[in-house]
Amino acid sequence: MLRDFTKLQTLIVVAQEKNFSKASAKLGISQPAVTQQIKFIEQYFKVKIIIRKKNGVQLTKEGETLLLIAQDIEKNLHKYHPQIMQMIQRKDSIRFACSYTIGHFIFPKCLSSLQQKVYPNIEYSISTSLQAIEDLKNGLCEIALTESYIPDKSITYREWLEDELVLISTQNLPRIIHREELYSYTWIGLEMTKQTIPEVYKYLKTININKDNLNVKMRFDSLDKIKQFMLEHRESKTQYIAFLPYIQVKNELQNRLFYSTKILGVRLKRKLYLAHLKKTNDPLMDSIIEYIIFNNKISLH
């Protein structure tokens, strides 16, 4: 009998993501490891459970049956989770380091349920993604929630949420603008060293926009400072535009302090990450991480 639920959880995530690569990012393991676990299940039961296709994966009839069983097992594990957690005699605090957007607008949404359902002693600080990762490496926190993937061999990154960057302005804009019109606006941007920039430039490149020809008036070292500059210059005769996370400017857009527009044919999204040190063997940490990644539904809209 297959007793290792880890492999069944891999099946659940692959079925949800419909993609081996996305499943590996969610699970925090390599894509070959995901493939190996699925192959193990297939070899164990001597049936094919997943068929790879160009646009993703498809479960076979046997795969769909096994998925229902795995989901039922997962549901029962969650049911007994509170009793299991009571066995862990811990009173110390689990410390999170959050980037600005996550710490102010996202993590507070899940903190209460995390404390009630998993572990009450949670603390968190707010800084930049880079500082959060430094805190993690220096033992100042156990988990980092970041807006950037900052490569480090000692750290495991798990894809957590997907956030949308919107093009906002201090003045009213057409509902949709064409790519060539981007050159006529005055831009506020991030410093060239910041991790968010490659995401923006990658999308601009896909629509044949040369970033070097954009009229970038000023650069700041954080998205928060861009937002503050935009708020302070709402009455300026110059119409400034910038990319900012939707969740960070949602209230300002609703109150008409900012205006947003869409670039024809472009939707800019970015990944948010949960990071922790490798080689951790801690049931409490595992429970907290699994709850945040898989069991905590957060709306960013």
Side-chain angles (χ1 to χ4, degrees), residues 5 12 68-81 295:
F5 182 71
I12 293 171
L68 290 174
I69 294 169
Q71 289 172 331
D72 194 46
I73 294 171
E74 183 181 47
K75 189 182 297 183
N76 278 288
L77 285 174
H78 293 160
K79 178 181 176 182
Y80 292 106
H81 187 264
N295 305 311

Side-chain angles (χ1 to χ4, degrees), residues 68-127:
L68 290 174
I69 294 169
Q71 289 172 331
D72 194 46
I73 294 171
E74 183 181 47
K75 189 182 297 183
N76 278 288
L77 285 174
H78 293 160
K79 178 181 176 182
Y80 292 106
H81 187 264
Q83 291 95 313
I84 295 171
M85 292 306 298
Q86 286 179 3
M87 296 168 57
I88 302 175
Q89 301 295 321
R90 294 275 292 271
K91 294 184 179 180
D92 55 314
S93 293
I94 299 298
R95 300 163 297 176
F96 284 74
C98 306
S99 65
Y100 178 88
T101 300
I102 294 173
H104 281 289
F105 301 99
I106 301 175
F107 190 57
K109 291 185 175 184
C110 69
L111 180 59
S112 178
S113 62
L114 178 62
Q115 290 174 318
Q116 290 175 12
K117 296 182 179 180
V118 184
Y119 190 66
N121 300 331
I122 304 289
E123 298 177 357
Y124 73 101
S125 59
I126 301 173
S127 56

Side-chain angles (χ1 to χ4, degrees), residues 247-278:
I247 195 168
Q248 191 170 337
V249 294
K250 178 180 177 181
N251 290 336
E252 286 78 12
L253 289 171
Q254 291 175 344
N255 294 319
R256 301 284 184 176
L257 297 177
F258 289 149
Y259 301 89
S260 68
T261 186
K262 295 184 182 296
I263 305 171
L264 188 64
V266 176
R267 192 175 183 187
L268 180 52
K269 291 189 173 184
R270 61 174 183 164
K271 301 292 184 182
L272 304 180
Y273 299 92
L274 182 151
H276 58 87
L277 293 177
K278 292 181 179 178

Side-chain angles (χ1 to χ4, degrees), residues 188-216:
I188 306 299
L190 282 170
E191 296 287 355
M192 298 299 290
T193 57
K194 292 300 171 182
Q195 295 292 322
T196 306
I197 281 185
E199 287 296 317
V200 174
Y201 285 168
K202 181 178 71 175
Y203 278 85
L204 291 178
K205 187 177 180 180
T206 63
I207 58 173
N208 298 317
I209 294 296
N210 186 342
K211 62 181 176 58
D212 296 323
N213 292 335
L214 293 175
N215 179 24
V216 182

Side-chain angles (χ1 to χ4, degrees), residues 23-41:
S24 71
K26 202 81 172 178
L27 290 163
I29 59 177
S30 67
Q31 187 172 330
V34 173
T35 302
Q36 186 178 25
Q37 291 188 18
I38 296 300
K39 281 185 177 179
F40 181 92
I41 296 173

